[in-house]
Amino acid sequence: MKSPLVREVAYRLLLVEADTELSQALAQVLSEQGWQVTCACNRAEALKILGDTPRFDLLLVAQELPDGEGVQLVENLVLPPEPEQRTPILLLAEQEDPQLLKRCFDLGINDYLVKPINPLLIGLKARDLTNKLRLADRVIQQKQELEKLLDASNREAEMASYVFYNNLLDHVSDTIHGFNRYINASSDFCGDLVLSKNSPSGSTFILHADAMGHGLSATMTLLPLVDVFHSMVSKGYALPMIVREMNRKLHFRLPPDRFVAASVVELDVLHEQVSIWNGGMPPVYYLDSEGRVINSYPSNHMALGILDNLSFESNVERFHLVGEGGLFGCSDGLTDQVNAQGESYGNQRLLKSLEGAPRHSLMGTLVADLKEFSGVPYFDDDLSLFYVYFPELIYFQDQKYQLQGNQAHKLGIAPFIWELTLSGQQMGEQEIPALCNDYLQDMGFPQPFCQRAFTVISELSSNAIEHGLLKLKSSLKEDPEGFAEYYVLREQRLRKLTHEDQLRVRLQWQVTAERSRLFIEVEQSGEGFDFNQVMQQPREELAGRGLLLIRKLSTELMFKKQGRLAVATLE
């Protein structure tokens, strides 16, 4: 029997527009995209429909209506106090108006669009706005469903675990080429978790977590972790900031006797770098093409949720990402599993099993070996494994970054200029690329374009801060010890910046009849550099690789003001 909580109707949309021709065009496009569209031509009709219909998934409201303004219609609505439960609203206006924009912001209207409107773009933007609302609905629905199933039979509990855990993975984790995972619960609910997600920077993030305890209580402990991972990776935050926020949230929400062991990995193909943070998990192994261990990365930190924010350490270990081998991680459910004689599976047996195991069946080979060793049908603890095969990951990442010519002119986004200036220690406290990425996504740019822009902004702003303002030398990062020294110096010098030290980021979207371009300007008040000299360095020199990457992703790259101002063009 299907749960009454699950709605199987199409997305419901109320379109309030006096222009009959435009209303019909939008309704047709939206209907073709799966929307159930209800139309109204004025405020009075819209209010009557809203009173008769329990809930719409999206309101698309024109500002200019025969009997008043669209924002007045919104003002008359009774909205839930929680932002995540409010119906998303898009406002369509004839022209830009700063005062209207402020009213929209105060009312919680999600977006403000200026006519003429591309119906297809509206459909895509509309579906994107409903995702958060649907995700919140799903969490509430699953929570209610779980509460009903707690007192049910074991079969019902197993079904609830399947629905809960698999939906969690499906809606938060991305499909990554070259990445495989295996999870096995020792009870109805699982306290282990393996998630993968792509960042706007082009990096791939992996979260591997093992919550203290077993069953439902351990699974519920993972929810704040998943929320932080999903939101912060999506916005392009750096790995240290992500694990710090995970720890802060768990430390605040969990009882004192609860914690979550976790390892977080960032695979940055563009910069050919792997970063690892390990808190309380077994070692993460860097394997060669034959499965032999090149290096291991044991836990150097406390598990998440134990230390307060001041005591917590978020520094990571890094190594050079090459086109062979891969990365393997497991929970202690593998190594701690015992057999009938009381012997543990252990690290030595694990390393022996990894060596020579077929890459495409690595998970199955290890699990089969563990079952044979233990001689039991069910393992003692939750078990989770992951493996990333570098050649496949790199190949598909490179394919994604092949430039496909000038497609930006088809976006239909009106010209704009957006500028941000930061002073002093603000530069170390703000994730500049993430702020820019949020803005570009809100303006309607597609994800591939935003990802290119994010990477360019990240490289230019990092170069401006670290080399122009902080006077750090890239040569420090040529070996692992230098990496650590580099980031220690970075933190020390960031704290010494004054209000006279400034960074300016300017985004200008220019539209002409022939083409559309995004100009990215990054200017810093510190020292300049000889651009030509840097670009003449060998490909292997780390100091020039960021600039080479920007040149690859940009149509044009220029430096002015003795290197203090960088201008990149994206088409």
Side-chain angles (χ1 to χ4, degrees):
M1 182 177 179
K2 294 183 179 179
S3 168
L5 296 170
V6 179
R7 293 177 291 171
E8 297 185 349
V9 299
Y11 291 128
R12 291 198 294 257
L13 182 147
L14 176 60
L15 173 60
V16 187
E17 170 60 63
D19 186 336
T20 306
E21 182 177 351
L22 175 59
S23 179
Q24 291 175 348
L26 287 173
Q28 180 178 351
V29 171
L30 293 166
S31 297
E32 292 172 354
Q33 293 184 359
W35 290 88
Q36 180 180 311
V37 181
T38 302
C39 296
C41 61
N42 54 50
R43 287 176 54 208
E45 184 179 3
L47 288 172
K48 184 178 185 305
I49 293 173
L50 288 168
D52 296 337
T53 304
R55 177 175 178 178
F56 283 93
D57 298 289
L58 179 69
L59 303 183
L60 189 57
V61 183
Q63 168 63 1
E64 294 78 17
L65 297 172
D67 55 348
E69 298 178 325
V71 291
Q72 293 176 330
L73 171 63
V74 178
E75 289 172 343
N76 292 333
L77 300 178
V78 179
L79 300 176
E82 298 80 13
E84 62 271 15
Q85 294 184 359
R86 297 174 186 170
T87 301
I89 302 172
L90 288 174
L91 190 76
L92 310 179
E94 294 290 344
Q95 59 185 3
E96 293 185 357
D97 183 346
Q99 295 299 322
L100 177 59
L101 183 61
K102 183 178 183 305
R103 290 177 67 188
C104 290
F105 178 82
D106 294 340
L107 288 171
I109 293 175
N110 298 78
D111 212 339
Y112 171 98
L113 303 175
V114 179
K115 298 179 181 178
I117 302 297
N118 184 329
L120 180 59
L121 178 62
I122 285 290
L124 295 174
K125 200 171 189 67
R127 185 169 294 277
D128 181 66
L129 279 173
T130 59
N131 284 342
K132 291 183 180 179
L133 184 65
R134 284 293 184 178
L135 184 58
D137 283 348
R138 186 176 295 276
V139 172
I140 294 172
Q141 292 163 8
Q142 291 179 344
K143 180 181 177 182
Q144 294 172 350
E145 188 71 16
L146 286 173
E147 290 173 349
K148 292 182 178 181
L149 293 171
L150 285 176
D151 295 328
S153 65
N154 290 335
R155 184 177 180 180
E156 290 175 326
E158 289 175 2
M159 182 177 181
S161 174
Y162 177 84
V163 171
F164 178 87
Y165 203 69
N166 283 274
N167 281 343
L168 183 67
L169 295 180
D170 291 342
H171 288 279
V172 177
S173 192
D174 292 338
T175 300
I176 308 296
H177 291 285
F179 171 74
N180 291 288
R181 68 186 173 202
Y182 173 87
I183 301 175
N184 182 78
S186 61
S187 61
D188 296 331
F189 293 88
C190 186
D192 281 16
L193 183 71
V194 183
L195 298 178
S196 59
K197 191 162 189 63
N198 289 317
S199 166
S201 66
S203 292
T204 297
F205 282 81
I206 297 170
L207 168 63
H208 188 195
D210 181 0
M212 177 188 176
H214 301 280
L216 179 59
S217 62
T219 304
M220 297 302 290
T221 303
L222 296 172
L223 288 178
L225 209 65
V226 173
D227 179 52
V228 173
F229 180 75
H230 174 69
S231 60
M232 294 191 72
V233 173
S234 298
K235 294 180 179 180
Y237 282 92
L239 194 157
M241 297 193 69
I242 294 173
V243 295
R244 182 169 291 277
E245 178 60 17
M246 286 178 175
N247 181 76
R248 187 195 67 81
K249 184 161 284 190
L250 289 179
H251 185 261
F252 175 73
R253 292 190 176 184
L254 297 185
D257 61 341
R258 292 282 173 171
F259 58 84
V260 178
S263 61
V264 186
V265 177
E266 179 183 3
L267 303 158
D268 188 348
V269 174
L270 293 173
H271 297 88
E272 300 177 1
Q273 180 176 280
V274 178
S275 302
I276 300 174
W277 184 92
N278 189 345
M281 292 291 283
V284 178
Y285 294 106
Y286 174 24
L287 308 177
D288 66 12
S289 57
E290 301 298 323
R292 295 183 293 263
V293 175
I294 298 175
N295 204 350
S296 64
Y297 298 89
S299 171
N300 290 326
H301 303 282
M302 298 287 284
L304 297 170
I306 297 176
L307 300 176
D308 59 33
N309 194 48
L310 292 177
S311 305
F312 182 78
E313 295 183 349
S314 59
N315 54 297
V316 301
E317 296 183 85
R318 295 180 171 89
F319 68 88
H320 184 60
L321 174 61
V322 297
E324 63 177 24
L327 201 68
F328 173 83
C330 68
S331 64
D332 58 10
L334 176 66
T335 53
D336 291 351
Q337 177 65 43
V338 298
N339 59 14
Q341 291 73 41
E343 300 172 329
S344 298
Y345 187 80
N347 286 325
Q348 293 303 318
R349 182 182 291 272
L350 168 62
L351 298 181
K352 184 178 180 181
S353 299
L354 286 172
E355 188 171 338
R359 178 184 66 82
H360 291 289
S361 59
L362 179 63
M363 303 288 137
T365 300
L366 288 176
V367 174
D369 188 58
L370 184 64
K371 287 183 177 179
E372 182 180 354
F373 167 81
S374 64
V376 296
Y378 302 105
F379 298 134
D380 298 335
D381 194 4
D382 298 329
L383 173 64
S384 55
L385 322 168
F386 76 85
Y387 178 70
V388 187
Y389 183 53
F390 292 158
E392 189 173 344
L393 176 76
I394 293 171
Y395 172 79
F396 282 98
Q397 189 81 324
D398 288 343
Q399 291 292 105
K400 186 166 59 176
Y401 268 91
Q402 295 296 323
L403 300 183
Q404 301 175 356
N406 181 20
Q407 299 294 322
H409 66 282
K410 299 180 181 180
L411 296 177
I413 299 173
F416 65 80
I417 295 175
W418 183 86
E419 187 170 312
L420 170 70
T421 300
L422 297 175
S423 302
Q425 297 183 22
Q426 284 182 327
M427 287 177 271
E429 298 169 356
Q430 300 295 328
E431 283 290 321
I432 298 168
L435 293 173
C436 297
N437 181 69
D438 286 347
Y439 179 77
L440 291 175
Q441 286 189 334
D442 289 342
M443 292 299 293
F445 287 90
Q447 184 60 32
F449 188 91
C450 291
Q451 188 163 312
R452 285 173 53 205
F454 182 100
T455 304
V456 171
I457 295 168
S458 178
E459 290 293 337
L460 290 178
S461 58
S462 295
N463 183 71
I465 294 173
E466 295 176 4
H467 305 312
L469 293 169
L470 304 182
K471 303 175 185 178
L472 294 169
K473 297 183 182 297
S474 293
S475 57
L476 282 173
K477 296 189 286 185
E478 291 180 354
D479 54 68
E481 293 76 15
F483 261 123
E485 182 182 354
Y486 185 91
Y487 285 98
V488 168
L489 285 173
R490 186 181 188 275
E491 291 301 316
Q492 291 175 348
R493 296 183 184 182
L494 274 172
R495 289 194 288 268
K496 295 180 180 179
L497 292 178
T498 68
H499 292 301
E500 296 180 357
D501 300 307
Q502 293 190 339
L503 180 77
R504 180 180 65 86
V505 180
R506 186 174 190 264
L507 306 179
Q508 180 178 2
W509 177 243
Q510 185 184 87
V511 180
T512 64
E514 295 78 21
R515 57 180 178 174
S516 301
R517 295 176 292 178
L518 179 67
F519 294 96
I520 300 172
E521 295 185 8
V522 178
E523 183 177 5
Q524 48 90 7
S525 60
E527 292 186 353
F529 71 103
D530 188 337
F531 168 72
N532 293 321
Q533 181 181 354
V534 171
M535 294 309 297
Q536 290 171 3
Q537 294 181 3
R539 171 70 173 82
E540 291 76 17
E541 292 291 333
L542 286 176
R545 293 173 70 181
L547 297 179
L548 288 169
L549 175 60
I550 298 171
R551 291 183 67 175
K552 176 183 176 182
L553 299 178
S554 307
T555 309
E556 185 179 9
L557 174 63
M558 298 185 300
F559 283 85
K560 304 176 181 179
K561 300 183 180 180
Q562 292 78 46
R564 290 190 297 273
L565 170 62
V567 184
T569 307
L570 270 63
E571 296 187 359

